Every structure is written in C-alpha cells, then in structure tokens.
Amino acid sequence: MVQNFKIGKYLILRRITQIGILLLFTFKSTEFILFGNLSSSVLLNSIKLSDPFAYLQIFLASFTLNFEFFLSALVIFLLYAVFLGRAFCAWVCPVNLITNFAELIRRYLKPAKLTNFKANTRYFLLFSFLLASFLFSEPSFEKISHIAIITRGIIFMQSSAIFVGILIFLADLFLQRNLVCSHLCPLGAFYSLISRYSLLKITYNLDKCTKCAKCINICPEPQVLNLVTKYSGKVLNPECIKCARCVDVCDDDAINFNLINFVKGKK
Amino acid sequence: MRRKFLVSVAKLVAIFAGIFSFLYLKKDENVSSSKKRLTTSFYLRPPGVLNEKHFLSSCIRCGACVKACPYNTLKLASFNDNASNGTPIFYASKIPCYLCDTLPCIAKCPSDALSKDILKQGIKSVNIGRAIVDESSCVAHFGIQCDACYRACPFLDKAIYLEYKRNERTNKHAMLVPKVNYDYCVGCGMCERACITKIPAISVLPSDFILGQRNDNYVKGWVEGDDSILKDVNTNKKLDKNKAMDYLNGAEF
Ligand code: SF4
Ligand code: SF4
Ligand code: SF4
Ligand code: SF4
C-alpha cells in the first residue's frame, strides 16, 4: 500500500542534523556551540550567523547598514549560494519534520487534492513580503513566519507553536501534497533563487536507471527531476532541496550526490 | 471503504486536535483577572530600545537578548501577546529588569534593535519606561510607613525620593510619600515588583504613554544650560506685508 517509503542513510543523517541543531539551540549548556535561533546565532562563541532573507527584510525596513550584522548574513548566504544550494529546507528547517510526517500519512490515506496552488506562488509571496517590509518598516515575513514560530516554540517552549504546527500538518495532509514547503514558503523560494550555481548537486546516470520512477514519486519537488529517463547529468533546478530521498530510494545506484561521487573518484 | 473510513477518522482527530490546541492557547491568557489586566494591554521592551518604530524595523527576532538575560526577565512575544510576534518583551510585575551593569541583553543583540550606544553610556541612559504612583492605593499616602519601592530602586534617592508631607488627618504626624523623578527613572520596574499592595500601586508604563514634551519657548532660566533647547530654533520672522493689506481690503471692512 505504501509505495517505496524507505528509511535510508540520508534520511537518518538529515534527522540527526535537524534535531541536533534544534537541541543545541535549546539547552543552556550547549550555548557555547550554538547560541540564538535560526534567525540569528553565534557559532562556537565567535562566528556570527544570520538568516540572509531576514536580513534583507530588515535592510528594506530600516535602511541602515550594520556591517557586522551584514557579514553574519553574508556568511550564510555564501554557504548556501556557493556550496549547499537549498539544503537548508531539508537539513535544518524544523517545518520539514512536520511536512514530511504529513506526507507519510498522506501516502497511507491518499486524500483528494483540495487546492491547486502552483509552485510559483512562493516567488510571488517572496516578492510581496519584501515589498511589505519596505512599505511597513517591519520585517513582515519574520512577523508571521511559520518557520520562526515553530523554531521558537521548540527552543523557548511556546505553546503557539503547537497550534501552528497542527495547521501546517493539516494543510499538507488534506489540501495539497507538500503545499507549505513546495508551494508557499517564501524562505524556500529565497533559497531556490540564490542556489542556482551552488556546487552540491544531485547527479543522475541514465545507464544505470531502470526507470522505476521511485525517485520522482518520493521527491518533494518532482519538477526538478525532469532529466530522469531522458539523459544523464546534474539536477540543475535550484528548487531541489538536497534531501537525497531520491538517492535513498534508488535501488540501482543511478542517483547520487556529485561531491560524494567525486570523493569516491567515480566522477 | 477502509481507506475512506481512515480518512474521516483522521479528519475528526485533526479537528479535535485543532480545537484542543486552540483552547490550550487561550488558557495561557487567563492566569488571573488581575494579571490579565496588566499583561494584555501593554508590554515593556528590553533596555536599549530607542523607539518602537526603529525597534520593529531592526529586530530579527532571534531571542539572543532573551537568552542572555540572567534573570529570565525577557520573553519573546507569541500570538497570545499584543506585541509583534517574536519580539522581546517583559512584564515588570512578573520579573523586572535588574539593570545588569554590563547589559548582556544589548551586548548580545546582533542587529541595531538594542542600541549599542546605551551600552557605552551605561544603565543611566536606559529608557524602558517611567514609573507612576497611584496615590489612592499607595499606603504611604495613607500615612502608613512604607518605602519598599524606594529601597528597591537601583537609583536610590534619585529616581524615587521620599517627600515629607504633613498628615492633615492626624495633624501631628509626617507622611513619607514616594515621588518619582523622571530625569532619573529608567523604567526598570524594580519598584513595581517590590510594591506591597495587592496590585502594585506603583507601576511602569512605556515612556511614550507618560512623557510629554514642553514647548521650545518655556525655558527654565534658573537652570544652567537649559537655554540649549533654543539652539536649533528658527528665529527668522516671516512677516507677510500683503497679509495686512489683504486684511484691510478684505470683504469684512
Ligand atoms: S520550504 Fe520553507 S518551511 Fe519548508 S523546509 Fe524550506 S524553509 Fe522550511
Ligand atoms: S539589563 Fe539585565 S535584567 Fe535587564 S533585561 Fe537586560 S539582561 Fe535582563
Ligand atoms: S537580540 Fe536584538 S534582534 Fe534578537 S530578539 Fe533581542 S532585540 Fe531582537
Ligand atoms: S522603574 Fe522604579 S525602580 Fe526602576 S528606576 Fe524607575 S523608579 Fe526606580
């Protein structure tokens, strides 16, 4: 009944980083490793990191440039733009835990699709939030961000996170598959926009592929796998969240991370 | 068939979970009616906030200030609070700001939301709010001796001082009543926390709620340097000759 839901090593690794980062933020005794939350933090008591999208909103809202603050956002920007691509969504964001769970239940229940949001809606929302930040002099997405509410809820034990978490879960379960993360989330859209030229990519090998389509089936952003069954190459579409579910479910070793292949010397 | 049944069961569970969590959220607010009065109508911002508008445009809602505070004074506003979601606030009657010498909340703030200038100028330049005394419930105004707020204040004898007053009722005792000097009070709320009455007779409100602004032309001649407020005043008189003519030639004459 449940097709190809397989727990693979990348899934386990992702859960470890996701939950690990949250735990490091939560406990007072680990503050020297990570201090703050996903909006802005200090790593190892020295390196300041900030969410570049939040920084952009603050810049538009206040039009002041705090150099240190700017640098802290730049570090994260470069980390994703140059190396990791949109990996934030799969490896850090706690909302991913909820939406993946909703997706799992969805595979059992197979409820009908109720809404029909397009994947481009998020870019429209991204732009609207930036405009609103400028107009109302307040980082407008940060004000209502479901990601921030869930993160704060976990780190600071706030009960409103339960409510918002349930709403996200229900939306993903009953309205549309991956509605929140793959269609609406402006932060996901932001990371998609900046990660076109990132180094980390998924590679696909047509010669090994047996065309079982398990990867397309499991992918939260299936449009990025348009090369599958057609030609070998890298998944260039920046909407790929590097969750490596496709790598996990592929029984034929046709899909992999380019860097890991590179290290193994396979090329 | 079985799947449809499962779907409807899941929907039911979901609806109940939704209602439950909503009620659970509501429960947070109704701690007690007296607390509710104080906690839902206004809030205080951490030290270092220049003004609400500037603060809202620069706070990234990271909670660094909240974590840095050794007294757990601050908390991040959630949807239950009036303040913009995710911004730091505190309620003086619960835990006041202890005005730590090093102001760790400001030091940890990554953005300009909490002004680093305050950090250099020290706690005297903090501007959270101003304390105000309700004389109808302050027992010192009844003639009973109480100086809890006076002693709690970090600017002892400056921000709160005790004023001698004749007790008109007994005609032979003196009353010592607390007065707040707004040149020194920074709004830390220590007095509010210390106040002995059921609901504090002295409470701190955000500065904007309390402070007025005098006109430029009222200069305290007896205070040295007070005329500095005239420095930037525009003294050019703009006389319009035509105005007088128009007046005389106007329809009313
Ligand atoms: S799309 Fe948004 S909510 Fe989903 S994982 Fe990415 S950042 Fe988090
Ligand atoms: S000055 Fe000290 S007590 Fe007051 S909010 Fe800052 S850290 Fe907390
Ligand atoms: S540390 Fe600064 S930016 Fe972070 S929540 Fe506090 S005031 Fe806002
Ligand atoms: S709020 Fe109260 S304790 Fe704090 S400075 Fe003002 S008068 Fe003193």
Side-chain angles (χ1 to χ4, degrees):
Chain A
M1 194 162 136
V2 185
Q3 305 155 357
N4 66 47
F5 185 83
K6 186 170 138 194
I7 297 177
K9 72 171 179 213
Y10 287 115
L11 184 64
I12 296 171
L13 268 179
R14 265 172 55 210
R15 293 292 174 257
I16 293 174
T17 40
Q18 243 161 3
I19 296 172
I21 287 174
L22 285 176
L23 290 182
L24 287 180
F25 276 130
T26 307
F27 292 112
K28 196 134 187 104
S29 48
T30 52
E31 254 175 20
F32 70 97
I33 306 178
L34 260 182
F35 173 88
N37 68 19
L38 291 182
S39 305
S40 185
S41 55
V42 185
L43 180 69
L44 294 173
N45 261 333
S46 50
I47 307 167
K48 293 195 176 172
L49 309 168
S50 298
D51 173 355
F53 180 47
Y55 178 80
L56 187 61
Q57 291 170 63
I58 286 184
F59 179 71
L60 287 175
S62 65
F63 272 103
T64 48
L65 200 88
N66 175 334
F67 192 63
E68 204 184 356
F69 192 27
F70 171 74
L71 276 186
S72 67
L74 190 67
V75 173
I76 294 289
F77 180 89
L78 291 179
L79 176 70
Y80 289 114
V82 178
F83 299 106
L84 300 177
R86 197 187 154 191
F88 171 85
C89 294
W91 294 77
V92 181
C93 183
V95 174
N96 182 264
L97 290 165
I98 301 172
T99 54
N100 278 7
F101 184 52
E103 155 117 35
L104 178 63
I105 308 283
R106 214 183 150 83
R107 273 166 200 275
Y108 278 103
L109 299 183
K110 300 195 181 64
K113 182 176 175 181
L114 292 183
T115 56
N116 194 10
F117 284 98
K118 295 277 173 291
N120 285 342
T121 314
R122 53 184 153 189
Y123 298 106
F124 171 74
L125 285 175
L126 168 74
F127 178 73
S128 313
F129 277 117
L130 288 179
L131 188 68
S133 303
F134 172 66
L135 291 180
F136 302 117
S137 300
E138 188 175 354
S140 55
F141 181 60
E142 296 316 297
K143 188 172 173 177
I144 58 162
S145 158
H146 56 295
I147 307 154
I149 290 173
I150 302 282
T151 320
R152 281 197 295 268
I154 297 167
I155 300 178
F156 296 101
M157 309 283 165
Q158 288 180 336
S159 51
S160 55
I162 303 172
F163 187 53
V164 175
I166 289 175
L167 279 183
I168 294 175
F169 179 74
L170 292 182
D172 262 31
L173 183 55
F174 291 120
L175 296 184
Q176 192 174 344
R177 177 175 184 255
N178 282 320
L179 173 64
V180 177
C181 289
S182 302
H183 299 83
L184 302 181
C185 178
L187 185 61
F190 176 80
Y191 280 121
S192 299
L193 285 183
I194 66 169
S195 52
R196 180 161 299 265
Y197 301 106
S198 66
L199 292 175
L200 184 70
K201 293 276 193 275
I202 299 285
T203 52
Y204 167 70
N205 186 343
L206 181 60
D207 300 337
K208 288 187 179 171
C209 174
T210 54
K211 307 196 171 61
C212 64
K214 283 181 187 165
C215 51
I216 298 181
N217 219 316
I218 198 98
C219 180
E221 306 267 1
Q223 73 277 13
V224 308
L225 288 178
N226 56 357
L227 76 177
V228 168
T229 75
K230 297 202 184 84
Y231 53 91
S232 299
K234 288 182 191 169
V235 173
L236 291 175
N237 190 325
E239 284 167 358
C240 166
I241 65 172
K242 316 287 184 284
C243 63
R245 290 301 285 138
C246 50
V247 183
D248 278 343
V249 297
C250 182
D251 296 323
D252 310 305
D253 197 30
I255 293 199
N256 232 311
F257 273 122
N258 57 346
L259 294 182
I260 288 169
N261 272 353
F262 186 74
V263 172
K264 282 186 191 157
K266 279 199 236 163
K267 267 266 159 121
Chain B
M1 236 10 251
R2 189 160 145 254
R3 187 153 58 78
K4 269 199 182 141
F5 173 72
L6 277 177
V7 171
S8 38
V9 167
K11 278 187 186 166
L12 266 180
V13 170
I15 289 168
F16 277 115
I19 293 173
F20 174 77
S21 65
F22 188 70
L23 291 179
Y24 183 75
L25 276 184
K26 281 275 156 221
K27 201 185 73 194
D28 267 12
E29 285 183 18
N30 301 324
V31 184
S32 81
S33 57
S34 63
K35 271 191 183 156
K36 188 175 175 181
R37 179 192 68 109
L38 275 172
T39 55
T40 55
S41 44
F42 72 90
Y43 43 83
L44 297 174
R45 291 296 189 189
V49 173
L50 296 180
N51 58 60
E52 183 76 5
K53 189 164 181 274
H54 172 265
F55 175 73
L56 281 182
S57 70
S58 348
C59 172
I60 196 171
R61 296 136 208 257
C62 64
C65 50
V66 175
K67 287 186 175 174
C69 178
Y71 300 97
N72 287 327
T73 301
L74 306 174
K75 68 166 202 155
L76 290 183
S78 70
F79 274 131
N80 311 338
D81 299 291
N82 272 12
S84 181
N85 186 32
T87 52
I89 52 174
F90 77 94
Y91 298 115
S93 55
K94 289 187 185 154
I95 310 177
C97 165
Y98 285 74
L99 291 179
C100 321
D101 283 337
T102 52
L103 292 164
C105 46
I106 302 184
K108 286 281 184 189
C109 178
S111 67
D112 293 323
L114 305 183
S115 164
K116 301 278 186 293
D117 293 341
I118 308 276
L119 200 59
K120 282 177 218 130
Q121 292 157 15
I123 56 171
K124 282 198 188 70
S125 56
V126 167
N127 180 11
I128 299 170
R130 294 292 187 277
I132 185 167
V133 183
D134 167 20
E135 300 185 355
S136 69
S137 49
C138 167
V139 297
H141 282 84
F142 304 170
I144 297 165
Q145 200 204 346
C146 172
D147 56 4
C149 56
Y150 169 79
R151 291 193 178 281
C153 180
F155 304 103
L156 184 89
D157 225 27
K158 283 193 181 132
I160 302 188
Y161 57 95
L162 295 176
E163 194 176 76
Y164 283 87
K165 233 172 107 180
R166 188 181 164 76
N167 189 336
E168 304 282 352
R169 183 173 54 83
T170 62
N171 246 337
K172 60 181 173 199
H173 299 98
M175 300 204 290
L176 281 169
V177 297
K179 292 275 168 189
V180 185
N181 182 341
Y182 285 173
D183 289 341
Y184 290 99
C185 173
V186 298
C188 65
M190 293 295 283
C191 50
E192 177 170 344
R193 185 77 189 85
C195 184
I196 58 139
T197 53
K198 225 194 266 170
I199 292 174
I202 185 167
S203 40
V204 176
L205 291 179
S207 313
D208 290 348
F209 286 12
I210 292 212
L211 296 182
Q213 194 183 16
R214 67 169 147 161
N215 310 23
D216 290 340
N217 50 342
Y218 294 112
V219 177
K220 294 181 195 160
W222 59 95
V223 175
E224 200 185 337
D226 200 57
D227 54 356
S228 65
I229 62 166
L230 294 175
K231 226 171 38 198
D232 300 324
V233 172
N234 184 1
T235 48
N236 287 333
K237 278 194 181 150
K238 284 201 199 79
L239 288 180
D240 187 355
K241 279 182 199 145
N242 292 331
K243 207 171 152 194
M245 305 259 280
D246 290 348
Y247 168 70
L248 289 174
N249 299 332
E252 280 162 58
F253 276 95

